[in-house]
Amino acid sequence: MLNIILFGPPGAGKGTQSEKIIDKYKLTHIATGDLFRKHLGEGTDLGKLAQKYMDEGNLVPDEVVIGMVDEKIKETQDSSSGYIFDGFPRTVPQAKALDTLLEEKGEKIAGMIALDVPEEELKKRIKERGKTSGRTDDQDEAKIENRIKVYQEETLPVANYYDGEGKFVKIHGVGTIDEIFGKISSEIDKLK
């Protein structure tokens, strides 16, 4: 199985590129946002537990998030040729928990592919996306800057973790969608 993490700040192009990766490599997409919506919408035990934390204004604990990821893998592992993790892991403890979860299934992360995009370009892309998506948080300069700051402070250590494992690849994320995808594909092909 090929298991990769697509990584990068808000506006780096992860959504666009993950669709192309999924299509080419037939990977199962695991995005924590989708998992949250599914579990909350279906009122599962994990969804109810997550809702309890969110209602209290707290972050959902790693073990609940990992539980959702584990369930998704169990549901799809017989039909999947691998996974692309998008927006997860966000912290080093989540990365270590993911490694443990995969090891229990005889699997591992092949690599983390990080889209590297200058901050001014990120802001421009997010604002542009905001015009078409209708997302108000994509149109507010202060919110955009805060999201980038949170990424740099809280999520960047995950890149350092995988770099220490020899599994980190940085890709220049500026250019046409197809140019960037070509660079990503060449790195994925090395991981197979």
Side-chain angles (χ1 to χ4, degrees):
M1 275 193 165
L2 175 66
N3 301 306
I4 61 172
I5 298 167
L6 188 59
F7 195 74
K14 294 183 302 293
T16 301
Q17 294 299 335
S18 67
E19 286 177 22
K20 295 178 79 62
I21 294 166
I22 291 161
D23 186 48
K24 180 174 180 176
Y25 296 97
K26 307 300 179 221
L27 300 178
T28 300
H29 188 236
I30 296 186
T32 49
D34 294 344
L35 293 178
F36 273 99
R37 284 186 284 281
K38 174 189 180 292
H39 283 273
L40 293 171
E42 293 175 5
T44 66
D45 289 344
L46 284 169
K48 289 174 187 167
L49 190 55
Q51 188 70 59
K52 178 180 165 284
Y53 285 99
M54 290 166 19
D55 287 347
E56 294 167 357
N58 296 316
L59 290 175
V60 178
D62 289 348
E63 57 269 16
V64 176
V65 179
I66 291 291
M68 290 180 182
V69 171
D70 186 27
E71 191 173 288
K72 176 73 174 181
I73 291 172
K74 284 177 183 165
E75 286 172 7
T76 58
Q77 75 186 58
D78 291 340
S79 60
S80 182
S81 56
Y83 297 92
I84 179 168
F85 295 92
D86 179 0
F88 177 84
R90 288 185 188 265
T91 64
V92 173
Q94 284 182 0
K96 290 178 178 178
L98 177 61
D99 286 348
T100 301
L101 173 70
L102 291 172
E103 282 169 21
E104 289 168 359
K105 298 174 184 340
E107 295 295 328
K108 66 182 182 346
I109 292 295
M112 170 185 269
I113 297 173
L115 296 172
D116 185 40
V117 180
E119 193 169 322
E120 286 310 309
E121 177 69 16
L122 293 173
K123 290 177 186 175
K124 188 175 102 185
R125 288 182 186 182
I126 294 169
K127 285 180 191 168
E128 196 57 42
R129 181 175 72 190
K131 292 176 188 172
T132 56
S133 72
R135 283 180 54 174
T136 54
D137 62 330
D138 280 352
Q139 298 167 29
D140 182 311
E141 183 84 33
K143 287 182 181 174
I144 292 169
E145 286 188 21
N146 188 56
R147 283 164 56 198
I148 293 170
K149 180 176 171 261
V150 166
Y151 165 80
Q152 290 169 339
E153 290 173 0
E154 296 177 17
T155 314
L156 224 41
V158 178
N160 296 332
Y161 170 76
Y162 283 106
D163 193 25
E165 300 277 311
K167 296 180 179 182
F168 178 79
V169 178
K170 188 186 290 189
I171 294 190
H172 184 60
V174 179
T176 69
I177 290 169
D178 288 335
E179 285 169 351
I180 297 165
F181 183 64
K183 294 177 202 172
I184 292 171
S185 294
S186 108
E187 292 300 333
I188 290 175
D189 292 341
K190 292 176 193 173
L191 299 173
K192 288 168 65 178

